[in-house]
Amino acid sequence: MISSPLPPVTLTLKQFIRTQQVLLLYRMVLQAIRQVPSDSDRKYLKDWAREEFKRNKSATEDDTIRMMITQGNLQLKELEKTLALAKF
């Protein structure tokens, strides 16, 4: 068995829940983006979402993460509203 140079990471319950919230938000954003009719817009939005999540990956402060989750949910709702209006 190969030993890892890094110690195993143990998350607190709060950190685990935040991680799950972030992953759920990411999945929901990608699902919403799949509904965008234009291929180029869909690719742009997918790349943008991926970069935003990567850029904020190293955030550790709980208040900051909660704020980013809230902001992401607001942006998701705006995207969903825009997609709903575009269908009419």
Side-chain angles (χ1 to χ4, degrees):
M1 185 160 135
I2 300 172
S3 75
S4 172
L6 300 173
V9 177
T10 305
L11 299 176
T12 65
L13 179 60
K14 185 184 274 188
Q15 290 170 326
F16 177 78
I17 291 170
R18 291 279 180 249
T19 301
Q20 295 306 306
Q21 289 173 325
V22 171
L23 291 173
L24 177 62
L25 176 61
Y26 186 63
R27 284 192 294 267
M28 290 170 60
V29 166
L30 291 179
Q31 286 175 352
I33 289 172
R34 282 189 212 124
Q35 298 174 21
V36 173
S38 167
D39 287 339
S40 61
D41 290 343
R42 194 170 41 250
K43 180 174 177 0
Y44 171 79
L45 288 171
K46 188 175 177 183
D47 291 343
W48 171 80
R50 183 179 292 130
E51 287 304 314
E52 282 296 306
F53 278 85
K54 277 184 185 179
R55 186 168 55 91
N56 294 306
K57 181 179 177 179
S58 62
T60 56
E61 193 172 321
D62 191 51
D63 289 339
T64 304
I65 295 169
R66 274 194 339 219
M67 181 200 63
M68 287 188 285
I69 291 171
T70 301
Q71 185 66 31
N73 281 317
L74 290 172
Q75 290 176 340
L76 174 60
K77 284 185 187 353
E78 284 297 315
L79 176 59
E80 289 171 340
K81 284 180 189 176
T82 303
L83 289 169
L85 289 173
K87 290 182 180 179
F88 290 111

